[in-house]
Amino acid sequence: MTSLITTELVILDADQGTESSAVIRALAAKIAEQDRANSADGLAAAAIAREEKTPTGVPGGIAIPHARTEAVTEPSLAMARLNPPVDFGAKDGPADLVFMIAAPEGAGKDHLKLLSKLARSLVKKDFVASLRAAATEQEIVDLVETALGLRETPEEATPTGGAPTTTEPTPTGGAPTTTGGAPTTTEPIPTSAAPTESPASSTDNPRRVVAVTACPTGIAHTYMAADALAQAGSEMGIDVVTETQGSSGTTPIDQAVIDAADAVVFAVDVDVRDKARFAGKPYVQVPVKAGIDDPQGLITKALAEADAPNGRRLTAAHAADDSSDAQSGSRESVGAHLKRVLLTGVSYMIPFVAAGGLLMALGFLLGGFDIPDYAEDIVLGNSLWNLPTEYGDLALGPVGAYLGAVAFQIGNLSMSFLVAALAGYIAFGIADRPGIAPGFTVGAVAVLMGAGFIGGIIGGLLAGYIAHWIGSFAAPRWLRGLMPVVIIPLVASLVSSGLMFMVLGGPISALTKGLDSWLSSMTGTAAVILGLILGTMMAVDLGGPVNKVAYSFAVAGLAAGSVENPVPWEIMATVMAAGMVPPLAMALATAVRPRIFSQAEKENGKAAWLLGAAFISEGAIPFAASDPLRVIPASVVGAGVTGGMTMAFSVTSQAPHGGVFVFFAIDSFLLFLLSVVVGTIISALLVLALKIFVRKGGAAGLAEATAPSAATATAAATTGSTTGSGSADEANPTEPVSSNADATRV
């Protein structure tokens, strides 16, 4: 491996002006002069653009401008010690030590690990002091290479070599990180340090915070923020476990550690990969630089969210929307991996369907149900100044016909991307960006072959695994830059789409047509049974994998629906109606018998009215999390009944989401509402009965639910037994705490 830094890349005690951009250009010129970049201007422009997004100055008089760009031909590190210092946006003033990290677009992980290791070293005061004391460029190079572990260190550190290193294993069990100069001692960090000044901490039961850090380039700020948070936690007596989602790879925090944590800190400038792991946890989310500037404040805020009864929690819906693929190196089973990549495809596909479905429904509302026969001719041959004269009888006049045709065509075009988007983002979930083009291409081939969404799923998996396999090759340096943008998309598209054309497309098309025929033939009892199954699936895990399978099944078939074949629309209506039941039922239950719910649950119940009406099943998660054995069975029964009723009534929905707010897209809307109301009442009554009678046995439970004094006494007693704290004289006589819910953890 070539050296990242040489004496020619070091500038000592120079006046580089007063602008950060001037310093960046000077360092970029140094890198280009050593033939490590083919364009000093290109490198400088990329670093300055990164600087404009988030200033790279950090506390301690340090700045780390950085960029990943095709202008760089060899991973490089340039350093300037400035006199006078220059402002890079740090809170504590200008920087006199500036390290510019330049990485090529296809940089190998070994180089990226070294660059990230340097960033972590810069939060260590003894290393920084040594840099300021160095007298020559060679001393700077020696210090940096020693910190990176590229050379052996002397047995005794010199005055310019910094203080002895302490090797500190991270709480996650990863590789030890060095805290400065030459290593001489080993001191493990206690994983449950005693508190210093944290009132929420306890020596018997230390508090734990998990943190995820990530920045756009994944080189510097990602690792500095992680180290700053871990160090701050140690000083506060709080166990902080970090996960860096950077360019050099990610080792996910063990799920058991996440489950045991009190709160989560997301210090990120990009989406968190696999964010659903943290669903239900109290959290704060800030830019990655805040993790460097104020780590103690972030930890304090996160724990404050955990202690607040109505503190901010990460909902399953939010986690699913924001999460993306876990990087290679995450320890997943085959089933978990497949589930993740399939849900990645579905989550990216849904916006196409949601927008397209609603626009098509609006087109039917304005232009009538025969608008598909006229839409293309109208949008191509007419305008607002030349309204159509030929259109269906149900259109709202010439203006309605024209606007309806425009809305329908836009929606129809959006829906045409459904299978391609599904395949493309499944491939993305496996191979990252190089998988997108092969995935979209094979998805388009699946549509052409009539293979439908089944072909899209199989094609996306095929394209993703082929792209990932090609990307694993050790390509020569001159070819690395072409791999993600030319070689991988070209070969993966050719192989996966070729197989779809020549081998897979025909059989999958026949299977899809057979499935469509079977669904279209379902009437009477068979349709009701299908509705019961789909309704049950929507409620069994409230936004989890089973719920997503049912929803994806409905959404994938939506484009195939028509006036002649309304079954896919009926399935969509069934799934949406059943998904509305759990949150509405919990809202109704808290309104009917508020005394048997905690204060936090009653507040969540108020919000659940709107969430349920909008078809957001996750509105019931706080209730299911605190009392799953009562809430989930009750929700399943009501949602199943609703699903069976909507199929029996042949209710249809051309919109994939929105609940009652897309009434114009739902045929037989009153029967749709009736089905939802019946299921809601059934689930609400069941959950109340289970909470009242099953918890303590008929009479005792009923007495607690109806008698304020008894409820208070029982709540006080059960609070102590279920949460490990509390006494009778601590109970609130007007707001008893439910024995099956912790009011501070919902």
Side-chain angles (χ1 to χ4, degrees):
M1 183 185 297
T2 57
S3 178
L4 289 171
I5 186 169
T6 64
T7 54
E8 290 80 10
L9 296 176
V10 178
I11 301 172
L12 289 184
D13 304 319
D15 184 348
Q16 297 294 341
T18 59
E19 299 293 331
S20 60
S21 58
V23 179
I24 290 173
R25 289 191 182 94
L27 292 173
K30 280 280 186 183
I31 293 171
E33 287 170 6
Q34 302 305 311
D35 295 326
R36 291 170 172 259
N38 54 33
S39 170
D41 291 339
L43 172 56
I48 291 170
R50 171 66 184 86
E51 194 75 24
E52 290 173 350
K53 290 181 181 178
T54 307
T56 58
V58 297
I62 302 167
I64 316 176
H66 51 276
R68 291 182 69 178
T69 171
E70 294 177 356
V72 178
T73 57
E74 186 175 326
S76 302
L77 184 64
M79 183 264 193
R81 194 168 67 194
L82 302 177
N83 186 16
V86 174
D87 184 13
F88 274 79
K91 286 185 177 180
D92 61 348
D96 64 327
L97 294 179
V98 180
F99 279 90
M100 182 170 179
I101 299 174
E105 195 65 50
K109 284 192 175 181
D110 289 340
H111 279 111
L112 291 172
K113 285 179 180 178
L114 289 176
L115 293 173
S116 63
K117 193 172 183 181
L118 171 74
R120 306 182 90 142
S121 298
L122 290 173
V123 301
K124 297 157 188 171
K125 295 178 181 179
D126 51 352
F127 176 65
V128 173
S130 300
L131 293 172
R132 290 195 170 103
T136 66
E137 289 84 353
Q138 187 60 52
E139 286 186 36
I140 294 289
V141 173
D142 293 344
L143 284 167
V144 171
E145 291 191 340
T146 299
L148 297 179
L150 298 178
R151 61 172 65 195
E152 294 183 0
T153 55
E155 291 184 1
E156 293 183 10
T158 65
T160 59
T165 294
T166 300
T167 304
E168 300 174 345
T170 62
T172 56
T177 58
T178 59
T179 59
T184 58
T185 61
T186 301
E187 297 180 0
I189 295 179
T191 57
S192 56
T196 54
E197 297 181 4
S198 176
S201 165
S202 168
T203 55
D204 296 328
N205 187 22
R207 308 204 72 177
R208 171 175 288 172
V209 172
V210 293
V212 178
T213 61
C215 67
T217 51
I219 297 174
H221 286 68
T222 298
Y223 302 92
M224 296 182 72
D227 279 6
L229 286 164
Q231 183 175 334
S234 178
E235 294 170 359
M236 298 168 71
I238 294 167
D239 185 10
V240 176
V241 182
T242 61
E243 174 180 317
T244 53
Q245 295 188 353
S247 296
S248 59
T250 297
T251 300
I253 300 172
D254 188 86
Q255 189 61 46
V257 175
I258 296 173
D259 293 341
D262 295 285
V264 183
V265 171
F266 296 117
V268 295
D269 288 331
V270 294
D271 285 346
V272 176
R273 296 182 179 97
D274 205 11
K275 198 172 186 178
R277 296 172 293 156
F278 305 93
K281 286 292 179 183
Y283 78 108
V284 294
Q285 183 161 337
V286 294
V288 66
K289 198 166 182 291
I292 303 170
D293 293 340
D294 187 21
Q296 290 195 3
L298 287 183
I299 294 170
T300 301
K301 288 178 183 177
L303 292 175
E305 294 291 346
D307 295 333
N310 296 316
R312 191 182 187 193
R313 264 65 174 172
L314 184 67
T315 65
H318 188 188
D321 288 343
D322 287 355
S323 62
S324 60
D325 60 303
Q327 277 194 334
S328 60
S330 62
R331 292 165 288 187
E332 290 181 302
S333 66
V334 173
H337 172 73
L338 285 174
K339 181 185 78 173
R340 176 177 58 76
V341 299
L342 290 173
L343 290 181
T344 297
V346 170
S347 66
Y348 281 99
M349 174 192 72
I350 286 174
F352 289 93
V353 185
L358 288 170
L359 285 167
M360 289 178 70
L362 183 60
F364 282 117
L365 178 68
L366 297 173
F369 279 97
D370 52 359
I371 193 64
D373 300 333
Y374 300 90
E376 187 172 351
D377 292 337
I378 290 175
V379 296
L380 294 178
N382 299 98
S383 67
L384 283 173
W385 298 270
N386 178 28
L387 293 173
T389 56
E390 295 184 7
Y391 48 85
D393 295 335
L394 297 177
L396 300 180
V399 175
Y402 178 71
L403 294 178
V406 170
F408 179 85
Q409 281 299 103
I410 295 173
N412 193 39
L413 291 171
S414 177
M415 293 288 283
S416 69
F417 286 103
L418 189 153
V419 175
L422 176 65
Y425 287 108
I426 286 175
F428 167 74
I430 298 169
D432 214 326
R433 283 183 293 181
I436 293 180
F440 266 83
T441 304
V442 77
V445 173
V447 173
L448 182 64
M449 297 289 291
F453 79 97
I454 297 176
I457 291 173
I458 295 174
L461 292 171
L462 191 63
Y465 286 120
I466 291 172
H468 184 269
W469 176 63
I470 298 170
S472 67
F473 293 167
R477 191 177 71 181
W478 61 268
L479 189 60
R480 287 176 195 160
L482 293 176
M483 288 292 288
V485 294
V486 177
I487 307 299
I488 296 175
L490 172 64
V491 177
S493 296
L494 180 62
V495 175
S496 59
S497 296
L499 286 172
M500 184 61 68
F501 267 125
M502 296 184 288
V503 180
L504 300 173
I508 297 173
S509 177
L511 175 63
T512 300
K513 290 176 181 176
L515 180 61
D516 288 343
S517 299
W518 174 65
L519 288 174
S520 300
S521 66
M522 280 189 135
T523 57
T525 303
V528 173
I529 292 174
L530 177 62
L532 286 168
I533 294 171
L534 291 173
T536 298
M537 292 175 70
M538 289 301 294
V540 75
D541 59 355
L542 303 174
V546 177
N547 173 287
K548 286 290 190 293
V549 167
Y551 181 66
S552 301
F553 172 68
V555 167
L558 194 59
S562 65
V563 176
E564 294 76 20
N565 177 29
V567 173
W569 294 347
E570 292 174 8
I571 292 173
M572 189 71 253
T574 296
V575 164
M576 184 154 63
M580 294 167 62
V581 167
L584 289 174
M586 296 306 106
L588 179 60
T590 57
V592 172
R593 283 289 187 273
R595 288 194 180 92
I596 64 173
F597 293 93
S598 69
Q599 181 61 33
E601 286 176 322
K602 284 184 279 188
E603 292 299 321
N604 286 324
K606 296 174 184 176
W609 286 112
L610 180 59
L611 295 175
F615 178 37
I616 300 175
S617 304
E618 290 83 355
I621 285 179
F623 301 90
S626 64
D627 192 11
L629 296 180
R630 296 173 179 82
V631 171
I632 290 179
S635 298
V636 164
V637 173
V641 171
T642 293
M645 289 179 65
T646 53
M647 287 298 290
F649 292 145
S650 299
V651 177
T652 65
S653 172
Q654 296 168 46
H657 216 287
V660 298
F661 299 103
V662 291
F663 62 91
F664 56 85
I666 301 173
D667 186 39
S668 304
F669 182 64
L670 292 179
L671 292 176
F672 177 87
L673 280 182
L674 176 63
S675 302
V676 172
V677 169
V678 170
T680 298
I681 293 173
I682 290 173
S683 287
L685 292 177
L686 275 175
V687 77
L688 289 173
L690 289 171
K691 282 180 175 287
I692 293 172
F693 290 98
V694 174
R695 180 174 56 188
K696 285 194 170 292
L702 184 61
E704 179 179 334
T706 55
S709 58
T712 303
T714 304
T718 56
T719 301
S721 62
T722 57
T723 65
S725 63
S727 58
D729 56 341
E730 290 174 345
N732 185 337
T734 59
E735 298 292 352
V737 180
S738 169
S739 64
N740 46 51
D742 182 347
T744 66
R745 316 287 274 175
V746 293

